[in-house]
Amino acid sequence: MVILLGTDAARGLGHDEVERRRAQFGRNELPRSHSGGIARKLGRQFNNPLVYVLLAAAVVTVFLGEFLDSAVILAVVLVNTLIGFVQEVRAEAALDALHSLVRTHAAVMRGGERMQVPSEDLVPGDLVLLEAGDKVPADLRLVRLSALRVDESALTGESDPVAKDEVVLPQVTPVADRRNMLYSGTLVTAGTGAGIVVAVGGETELGEIHRLMGAVRPVATPLTLKLARFSTTLTIAILALAAVAFLAGLAHGERPGQMFTAAVALAVGAIPEGLPAAVTVTLAIGVRRMARRRAVVRRLPVVETLGSTTVICSDKTGTFTENQMTVRALWTPSGRYDVTGSGYGPEGLIIPSAGDGTGGQAPGAATRPADRDAALYWSLLGGAACNDATIRPEGSGWQVRGDPTEAAMLVAAGKGGIRVREFLAANPRQAEQPFTSERQFMATLHTSTLPHGGGTVFVKGAVERVLELCGHEMDTDGGASPLHRHSVLSAAHALADTGLRVLATAMMRLPATGGPLSTMELRGWMTFTGLQGMHDPPRPAAASVAACRRAGVGVKMITGDHIRTAVTVAAAVGLAADHDAGTALTGTQLDDIPADRFPDAVERATVFARVSPEQKLRLIDALQSRGHVAAMTGDGVNDAPALRQANVGIAMGRTGTEVAKEASDIVLTDDDFATIEAAVEEGRNVFDNLTKFIVWTLPTNMAEGLVILVAILLGATLPILPTQILWINMTTAVALGLMLAFEPKEQGLMSRPPRAPDRPLLTWALTVRILLVSALLVAGAWWLFEQEAAVGASVAQARTSAVNLFVAVEVFYLFSCRSLTRPAWRIRPFGNRWLLLGVMVQTAGQLALTYIPLMNELFHTAPISAEAWLRIFGLALLASLVVALDKRFRRRGF
């Protein structure tokens, strides 16, 4: 590699060569996306059938001279346009967030001189120098290193820092297993190294993720698709009815101008002007409710989409686990101990395991276990002293610098009451053997500051390698006994079988004349002190996983971590996964599955381990190809493309990278999988309330159009005027319909399966109900209009009665729509106080429309008699009873 790149592995590139290569390869930056300017982005928001309907309504109201109503409709269009524009800008921000990962400075050798340069100035062939705490500025091939370990979790999903070496690997080696490579955007946690830049900008692995994200187009939400189809159908139906009315009037000999006005009035009546506002308000209320349950929504329509989710694909690290290594068990020749507490916080105790022969003292015992078991004391002290990690408080949590495994051992020592700082102050480190993949252990030499105080050697590492160095094991009193290798290995296997990562510790006393650690022969002289078993603890997500399954929502784990780790965590959170049974698959196994069998294999499997960002995309796409509404959770850069491809992308707010957050639709502020269950519940309630509004508003719009159509076909006087239709539509939508957005969740919401993605917005049962209520309104309006005329009322009074009948039926029907299946009297009357307030406001408006002279003049109404009100309420009550009977005999299909 060095030869091909023409680089001196010691001196680096010359300055002239750097300039030539920069001109050839460009800057080390990710390519910017170009999706058009502001005008094009705004223009794209109008390409929606619902917007066409609204614009048509605005034109109609202008034609009728109702400029105020036209302005209201245009304002709704503007609000929806701005929302779509903001969504598109935020989606592009996901790509821009990737740029922040590569903006740093790098130490390089150029012309034999060490210098700091901006990472954007790196070129292929540059020799980059790295140490603990550095962010890798480009893709590098390592040429030399010392105990180098790198946190690649954001890129690969690997929870533990990866030990690197210079070994030559086959070209087909997966990214997560390339121990001789460093990748742009990852973080060095320990050691030092030097590498040759082999890829910059868009050619890096990070650039490949950028390309994948740029190629992904956000999937339309089920609500968006359903509303688009619904709006298209509604538009066609309205235009057809208007055309029929126009032609029918001409056939009756009416003047074309008069018939055009009547056809426009029909269109105004049939268009549900309040629908876009209701959708926006209902979604916004859902957003507010979800925020209270710690789920922040970034795109409004996704609120409903989450309620329609059929499968949740969750990342492991940081989602099902806490992304904080924790020592959970300790073992010494004297017995086993359990460690309580989780994460990097100091809270927790070390207690003897029951039945291990140590006495099983309660946590409140007067002395700590380390005071009674010398081996435990030296194991905890050795793990903390032979250690390069640091932990410090930051905000409400803890900030780790270095290897998370070493940080876990520091925390365990603190829980055991070990005074590590005092020991290090009296016994500073004099020499060390750093951890390497070949050595598989780390050793440190500590020399006492007291005269003739001697020294201490600590070793920690892989169990087998540490045992090779040991000739004895420490007993309870600190004495040395013969090493029982078989017992130690049995204990290590028992801990590993529970999903723990196991490290061994050992120590050795040195005389004052002991030589440097680098020249010392350790083999056979060390004393084994104990085992420490740790893992990234699973979150308490089992109940939430079970709740999702009861709700008909499948849960799958997709991670870049090892298959054994993934299966262990899956079992802990209630995902039954058996690698041998084929329910757990690796990325390599996925590549071997033929394309025609791939979706079926993805459907059956529960756990996917060691997968790449591109494979995550394939998995989401395969699920969507089988009709699933897929939600994806994640926190790393490697999750970003899949988060954007999914129907709902869910990022972790605390541990998630900015890239993942920007690519997502929802951010969980508590990083808890349990919050997803709450969000699904809120999403289902949002869809329920939207459906209730549509079922409530459409009968009125349809009836208004049909009343005018019947009048035209019969050549009769219009029972309702266009201005009166606008009054009904605009006031009831705001005062009555929008109140359904505040309707609380119905019982059993999470006991039913999710809605099928291909299920229409309105089922056949709901369509029949809409037609039934519409027919009742048309028949009732005509009967009342004729009845009022028969008892001597004027045309204005008869029309006023018809208008009030429409509103009265809407009020009674509103209470029925609070549940699409249960009768109104079985719903808590004060469960939605906003609805009661809306009824009071609408009632005041109707009285003003009927009895205030100014309103009479503006809307061509007139005061009506008490007998007229009795007929109005009688018809409204009759309509309500018919709807109740419909609920009683047709419960299915809703």
Side-chain angles (χ1 to χ4, degrees), residues 218-413:
V219 179
T221 68
L223 178 63
T224 303
L225 295 173
K226 288 179 173 68
L227 284 177
R229 288 194 292 265
F230 175 73
S231 300
T232 300
T233 303
L234 189 61
T235 301
I236 295 173
I238 290 171
L239 293 177
L241 283 175
V244 168
F246 181 75
L247 295 175
L250 294 180
H252 281 84
E254 301 290 345
R255 291 181 289 113
Q258 182 179 356
M259 284 302 95
F260 181 76
T261 302
V264 168
L266 186 153
V268 170
I271 292 174
E273 292 91 347
L275 179 58
V279 171
T280 301
V281 170
T282 304
L283 292 175
I285 292 171
V287 166
R288 189 180 67 181
R289 287 175 173 173
M290 290 173 68
R292 288 201 298 262
R293 303 183 76 167
R294 298 177 294 280
V296 178
V297 177
R298 302 180 66 250
R299 295 178 56 224
L300 277 181
V302 172
V303 177
E304 179 275 329
T305 310
L306 193 58
S308 303
T309 296
T310 59
V311 60
I312 299 173
C313 300
S314 177
D315 182 40
K316 176 188 71 67
T317 305
T319 309
F320 279 126
T321 67
E322 296 182 357
N323 199 21
Q324 295 184 350
M325 290 296 288
T326 305
V327 174
R328 303 310 300 267
L330 300 163
W331 186 92
T332 72
S334 301
R336 173 173 167 165
Y337 302 87
D338 294 326
V339 184
T340 64
S342 183
Y344 298 127
E347 299 81 11
L349 297 169
I350 296 176
I351 56 177
S353 293
D356 65 355
T358 60
Q361 288 91 344
T367 58
R368 298 186 179 94
D371 296 333
R372 303 187 303 273
D373 186 347
L376 177 62
Y377 171 86
W378 285 103
S379 179
L380 292 171
L381 178 59
C386 185
N387 197 306
D388 292 322
T390 59
I391 304 176
R392 65 175 183 270
E394 184 173 287
S396 59
W398 298 85
Q399 178 65 37
V400 172
R401 185 177 180 88
D403 190 323
T405 299
E406 293 190 328
M409 300 180 93
L410 282 178
V411 174

Side-chain angles (χ1 to χ4, degrees), residues 784 788 791 793 797 801 804 847 850-851 862-874:
L784 185 61
E788 292 302 304
V791 298
Q797 288 176 318
S801 296
N804 282 306
L847 292 175
T850 305
Y851 296 107
I864 59 176
S865 64
E867 290 79 6
W869 282 112
L870 289 175
R871 285 187 283 271
I872 290 170
F873 285 113

Side-chain angles (χ1 to χ4, degrees), residues 590-609:
L590 289 173
D591 286 337
D592 294 336
I593 299 175
D596 59 332
R597 294 170 50 196
F598 190 81
D600 185 58
V602 172
E603 181 82 43
R604 293 197 312 271
T606 305
V607 175
F608 303 91

Side-chain angles (χ1 to χ4, degrees), residues 439-470:
R439 188 181 293 125
Q440 294 189 341
F441 68 82
M442 176 182 179
T444 57
L445 168 63
H446 301 263
T447 303
S448 174
T449 57
L450 298 175
H452 310 294
T456 307
V457 175
F458 291 114
V459 171
K460 76 172 192 307
V463 177
E464 292 80 0
R465 299 308 301 271
V466 172
L467 288 178
E468 291 176 2
L469 305 177
C470 296

